[in-house]
Structure formats: structure tokens, C-alpha cells
Amino acid sequence: MSARTARLLLVLAAFLAGLASVFLIIVIVTGRNPVPVASASAVGGPFRLTDHNGRTVTDQDLRGHPFLVFFGFTHCPDVCPTTLFEVSEVLGKLGADAARASALFITVDPERDTPEQMKDYLSSFDPRLVGLTGDPAAVAAVAKAYRVYVKKVPLDGGDYTMDHTALVYLMDKDGRFVAPFNLKRQPEDAAADLRRYL
Ligand SMILES: [Cu+2]
């Protein structure tokens, strides 16, 4: 092997190693919040859960209004609070029109997220946000209907966290899935987008 070929191979090896590490980082980063792909009609469905005031809420109660749905949990370190803050900003920009739309925060951690815990947690966000919880089977069924990935991950010391899909779903007034709702834009733009479905 000539010195030149050896050097080329070395460069190639370094390049591939770099590529592999970049790929690994992408997998690790996205692996925390896998986004399942599903057709529109396959997202959403009937549910019966309990809101943060202890009242029963079903999908039928939401008919006639578009709504946003986000799945998460109150012990979430950053994705959930950031998303709920962004949704709060959109509700703020909707102003009075927010009365004709809903924004749901459905827990993926019913074990810890009791209605009281949800109420306490949501007090930091727009008061129009509705926290929903229920028995584990009911919550698992809703998560499944929305094609939400949920995984309990044990932490050192006996604690645990939840890996979960971090999409916000926009549902229309008939309860049909429209599209993932983009919050990475100006809140007034997101509000204008939501207003089109009122
Ligand atoms: Cu979260």
C-alpha cells in the first residue's frame, strides 16, 4: 500500500467515524422523543377522562370546537413546561376566541398526576389549559389512539421519568386530526392558524 493510499484510507476512516458519531448523536437526541408516523384518520378517538377539577371530560364535550392536545407529565424537566408555556402564549393571542377552542394536556403519568397534582401544576400556565388524567388503562388507551409513544424510564434512586412523543395535535371541530400544530413560530401566527378552524 502506498503512503498516499494509506493516507486516503485514514482520511476516509476519520470521515466515517465522524459520520458515525454524528449519526449516533442524532439517534440519541431524537430517541428521547420518537415521533410515530400515522395517517390522519388513525390519530385520535373517543375518550373519557377526569380534568384537573375532578370533572369527567369526554371527546363529545369537545365537539364543535377545534382543540390542541399535548401528552406529557408534570414531572417533565423541560419539554412539557416549554410546550405548555408556548400553548399558553397562543391562547393569550387568541384572546376571547380562546373560549371557542380548547387546549388539553393529557398526562402519560397517571400514577403521579392526580387531578390535584395537575391543577397545582397548571396554575403556572394559561387558566384555559385543561389537564386530563384517569386510571392507567384509560390513559393508555388515549395515548394509543393518538399514536403517542410512552415509556417509563427508571432513574437512579428509585425515581422514574417518562419518555413520550412531544407533538401537539391540532384536532378540528369534528374531533378529526388536522396536523401537528407548529409552536415554533410567533404566537400570533400560531393563533391565526388556529383561528382558521374555529
Ligand atoms: Cu414532557
Side-chain angles (χ1 to χ4, degrees):
M1 192 188 321
S2 75
R4 191 161 173 256
T5 314
R7 238 186 85 223
L8 267 175
L9 281 175
L10 205 66
V11 168
L12 188 69
F15 173 70
L16 288 176
L19 199 68
S21 65
V22 165
F23 183 68
L24 202 67
I25 288 164
I26 290 171
V27 167
I28 289 167
V29 167
T30 60
R32 300 303 291 179
N33 286 303
V35 176
V37 178
S39 68
S41 60
V43 175
F47 66 82
R48 171 176 286 269
L49 294 168
T50 304
D51 76 7
H52 61 274
N53 289 312
R55 284 188 287 255
T56 300
V57 176
T58 76
D59 55 296
Q60 292 300 318
D61 298 328
L62 299 160
R63 285 296 147 87
H65 300 304
F67 59 99
L68 299 176
V69 194
F70 178 67
F71 288 80
F73 65 116
T74 64
H75 288 70
C76 184
D78 61 52
V79 176
C80 291
T82 303
T83 305
L84 292 174
F85 174 75
E86 290 167 344
V87 170
S88 294
E89 284 196 314
V90 174
L91 292 174
K93 295 296 175 192
L94 268 182
D97 284 340
R100 294 159 58 212
S102 298
L104 312 179
F105 175 57
I106 303 180
T107 186
V108 295
D109 184 16
E111 207 178 302
R112 291 185 293 199
D113 289 342
T114 59
E116 300 74 37
Q117 167 70 16
M118 298 287 272
K119 189 183 176 93
D120 185 45
Y121 181 72
L122 288 174
S123 65
S124 307
F125 303 99
D126 189 285
R128 289 164 290 199
L129 268 163
V130 177
L132 294 176
T133 185
D135 66 69
V139 166
V142 188
K144 192 174 175 216
Y146 278 84
R147 302 297 187 269
V148 168
Y149 169 88
V150 180
K151 190 170 190 293
K152 189 170 177 173
V153 182
L155 296 173
D156 292 340
D159 214 355
Y160 66 90
T161 188
M162 305 295 292
D163 274 1
H164 65 94
T165 303
L167 278 181
V168 177
Y169 300 85
L170 170 60
M171 310 299 288
D172 70 12
K173 45 176 82 168
D174 298 315
R176 279 188 305 242
F177 172 65
V178 177
F181 193 68
N182 176 15
L183 290 166
K184 302 301 171 202
R185 52 184 162 171
Q186 292 302 315
E188 38 281 322
D189 294 341
D193 189 11
L194 186 51
R195 210 170 258 129
R196 295 193 294 134
Y197 297 92
L198 290 175

Short mmCIF file of all heavy atoms in Angstrom, two decimals, residues 171-194:
data_model
loop_
_atom_site.label_atom_id
_atom_site.label_comp_id
_atom_site.label_asym_id
_atom_site.label_seq_id
_atom_site.Cartn_x
_atom_site.Cartn_y
_atom_site.Cartn_z
N MET A 171 -56.75 19.23 16.39
CA MET A 171 -57.94 18.46 16.03
C MET A 171 -59.03 19.47 15.61
O MET A 171 -59.13 20.55 16.19
CB MET A 171 -58.44 17.65 17.23
CG MET A 171 -57.37 16.82 17.94
SD MET A 171 -56.56 15.55 16.93
CE MET A 171 -57.89 14.34 16.77
N ASP A 172 -59.83 19.11 14.61
CA ASP A 172 -60.84 20.07 14.15
C ASP A 172 -62.13 19.95 14.98
O ASP A 172 -62.19 19.17 15.93
CB ASP A 172 -61.10 19.92 12.64
CG ASP A 172 -61.82 18.63 12.29
OD1 ASP A 172 -62.33 17.94 13.21
OD2 ASP A 172 -61.88 18.30 11.09
N LYS A 173 -63.15 20.73 14.61
CA LYS A 173 -64.37 20.77 15.43
C LYS A 173 -65.15 19.46 15.40
O LYS A 173 -66.04 19.25 16.23
CB LYS A 173 -65.26 21.95 15.04
CG LYS A 173 -65.45 22.16 13.56
CD LYS A 173 -66.42 23.29 13.29
CE LYS A 173 -65.77 24.66 13.37
NZ LYS A 173 -66.64 25.73 12.84
N ASP A 174 -64.80 18.55 14.48
CA ASP A 174 -65.44 17.23 14.46
C ASP A 174 -64.58 16.18 15.16
O ASP A 174 -64.86 14.98 15.09
CB ASP A 174 -65.71 16.79 13.01
CG ASP A 174 -66.66 17.75 12.30
OD1 ASP A 174 -67.67 18.12 12.93
OD2 ASP A 174 -66.38 18.14 11.16
N GLY A 175 -63.51 16.64 15.80
CA GLY A 175 -62.64 15.71 16.51
C GLY A 175 -61.67 14.97 15.62
O GLY A 175 -61.06 13.99 16.03
N ARG A 176 -61.54 15.45 14.39
CA ARG A 176 -60.61 14.80 13.45
C ARG A 176 -59.24 15.47 13.49
O ARG A 176 -59.14 16.70 13.58
CB ARG A 176 -61.17 14.86 12.02
CG ARG A 176 -62.20 13.79 11.74
CD ARG A 176 -62.56 13.80 10.25
NE ARG A 176 -62.98 15.15 9.85
CZ ARG A 176 -64.18 15.45 9.38
NH1 ARG A 176 -65.08 14.51 9.24
NH2 ARG A 176 -64.48 16.68 9.03
N PHE A 177 -58.22 14.65 13.38
CA PHE A 177 -56.85 15.15 13.38
C PHE A 177 -56.59 15.97 12.12
O PHE A 177 -56.89 15.53 11.01
CB PHE A 177 -55.89 13.96 13.46
CG PHE A 177 -54.44 14.31 13.28
CD1 PHE A 177 -53.78 15.11 14.21
CD2 PHE A 177 -53.72 13.83 12.19
CE1 PHE A 177 -52.43 15.42 14.06
CE2 PHE A 177 -52.38 14.13 12.03
CZ PHE A 177 -51.73 14.93 12.96
N VAL A 178 -56.05 17.20 12.30
CA VAL A 178 -55.72 18.05 11.16
C VAL A 178 -54.24 17.90 10.82
O VAL A 178 -53.88 17.51 9.70
CB VAL A 178 -56.03 19.54 11.46
CG1 VAL A 178 -55.62 20.42 10.29
CG2 VAL A 178 -57.49 19.73 11.81
N ALA A 179 -53.39 18.21 11.80
CA ALA A 179 -51.94 18.17 11.59
C ALA A 179 -51.26 18.41 12.93
O ALA A 179 -51.89 18.91 13.87
CB ALA A 179 -51.54 19.28 10.60
N PRO A 180 -49.97 18.10 13.01
CA PRO A 180 -49.24 18.53 14.20
C PRO A 180 -49.25 20.05 14.21
O PRO A 180 -49.15 20.68 13.15
CB PRO A 180 -47.82 18.00 13.96
CG PRO A 180 -47.96 16.95 12.91
CD PRO A 180 -49.13 17.36 12.06
N PHE A 181 -49.42 20.63 15.39
CA PHE A 181 -49.51 22.09 15.48
C PHE A 181 -48.14 22.67 15.77
O PHE A 181 -47.50 22.35 16.77
CB PHE A 181 -50.51 22.47 16.58
CG PHE A 181 -50.90 23.91 16.55
CD1 PHE A 181 -51.65 24.42 15.50
CD2 PHE A 181 -50.50 24.76 17.57
CE1 PHE A 181 -52.01 25.76 15.46
CE2 PHE A 181 -50.87 26.10 17.54
CZ PHE A 181 -51.62 26.60 16.48
N ASN A 182 -47.70 23.53 14.87
CA ASN A 182 -46.36 24.12 14.97
C ASN A 182 -46.33 25.28 15.96
O ASN A 182 -46.99 26.30 15.76
CB ASN A 182 -45.94 24.57 13.56
CG ASN A 182 -44.60 25.28 13.57
OD1 ASN A 182 -43.84 25.20 14.54
ND2 ASN A 182 -44.31 25.97 12.48
N LEU A 183 -45.55 25.12 17.02
CA LEU A 183 -45.42 26.19 18.02
C LEU A 183 -44.12 26.96 17.86
O LEU A 183 -43.87 27.92 18.58
CB LEU A 183 -45.49 25.59 19.42
CG LEU A 183 -46.86 25.06 19.84
CD1 LEU A 183 -46.73 24.20 21.08
CD2 LEU A 183 -47.83 26.21 20.08
N LYS A 184 -43.29 26.52 16.91
CA LYS A 184 -42.00 27.19 16.71
C LYS A 184 -42.17 28.35 15.72
O LYS A 184 -41.59 28.37 14.65
CB LYS A 184 -40.95 26.19 16.21
CG LYS A 184 -40.75 25.02 17.16
CD LYS A 184 -40.31 25.46 18.55
CE LYS A 184 -40.34 24.28 19.53
NZ LYS A 184 -40.44 24.72 20.93
N ARG A 185 -43.04 29.26 16.08
CA ARG A 185 -43.29 30.47 15.28
C ARG A 185 -43.87 31.51 16.23
O ARG A 185 -44.13 31.21 17.40
CB ARG A 185 -44.25 30.17 14.12
CG ARG A 185 -45.53 29.48 14.58
CD ARG A 185 -46.44 29.11 13.43
NE ARG A 185 -47.41 28.09 13.84
CZ ARG A 185 -48.43 27.70 13.12
NH1 ARG A 185 -48.63 28.22 11.93
NH2 ARG A 185 -49.26 26.78 13.55
N GLN A 186 -44.11 32.69 15.72
CA GLN A 186 -44.66 33.74 16.58
C GLN A 186 -46.02 33.30 17.09
O GLN A 186 -46.84 32.76 16.33
CB GLN A 186 -44.81 35.04 15.77
CG GLN A 186 -43.49 35.67 15.37
CD GLN A 186 -42.61 35.98 16.57
OE1 GLN A 186 -43.08 36.52 17.57
NE2 GLN A 186 -41.34 35.61 16.49
N PRO A 187 -46.31 33.52 18.39
CA PRO A 187 -47.60 33.09 18.94
C PRO A 187 -48.79 33.68 18.17
O PRO A 187 -49.82 33.01 18.02
CB PRO A 187 -47.57 33.60 20.37
CG PRO A 187 -46.21 34.10 20.65
CD PRO A 187 -45.40 34.09 19.40
N GLU A 188 -48.65 34.91 17.65
CA GLU A 188 -49.79 35.48 16.92
C GLU A 188 -50.03 34.72 15.60
O GLU A 188 -51.17 34.56 15.17
CB GLU A 188 -49.67 36.99 16.65
CG GLU A 188 -48.29 37.52 16.32
CD GLU A 188 -47.40 37.68 17.56
OE1 GLU A 188 -47.89 38.08 18.62
OE2 GLU A 188 -46.20 37.39 17.43
N ASP A 189 -48.94 34.23 14.99
CA ASP A 189 -49.08 33.44 13.76
C ASP A 189 -49.74 32.10 14.06
O ASP A 189 -50.61 31.63 13.31
CB ASP A 189 -47.72 33.20 13.10
CG ASP A 189 -47.09 34.50 12.61
OD1 ASP A 189 -47.84 35.50 12.45
OD2 ASP A 189 -45.86 34.53 12.39
N ALA A 190 -49.32 31.49 15.16
CA ALA A 190 -49.91 30.21 15.54
C ALA A 190 -51.39 30.41 15.89
O ALA A 190 -52.25 29.60 15.52
CB ALA A 190 -49.16 29.63 16.74
N ALA A 191 -51.69 31.52 16.56
CA ALA A 191 -53.09 31.82 16.93
C ALA A 191 -53.93 32.04 15.67
O ALA A 191 -55.07 31.57 15.58
CB ALA A 191 -53.15 33.04 17.84
N ALA A 192 -53.36 32.74 14.69
CA ALA A 192 -54.08 32.99 13.43
C ALA A 192 -54.38 31.67 12.72
O ALA A 192 -55.47 31.49 12.15
CB ALA A 192 -53.26 33.90 12.53
N ASP A 193 -53.43 30.75 12.80
CA ASP A 193 -53.60 29.44 12.19
C ASP A 193 -54.75 28.69 12.87
O ASP A 193 -55.65 28.15 12.21
CB ASP A 193 -52.27 28.66 12.34
CG ASP A 193 -52.24 27.37 11.55
OD1 ASP A 193 -53.16 27.16 10.72
OD2 ASP A 193 -51.31 26.57 11.77
N LEU A 194 -54.74 28.70 14.20
CA LEU A 194 -55.78 28.01 14.97
C LEU A 194 -57.16 28.62 14.72
O LEU A 194 -58.17 27.92 14.62
CB LEU A 194 -55.42 28.08 16.46
CG LEU A 194 -56.28 27.32 17.47
CD1 LEU A 194 -56.45 25.86 17.06
CD2 LEU A 194 -55.67 27.41 18.86
#
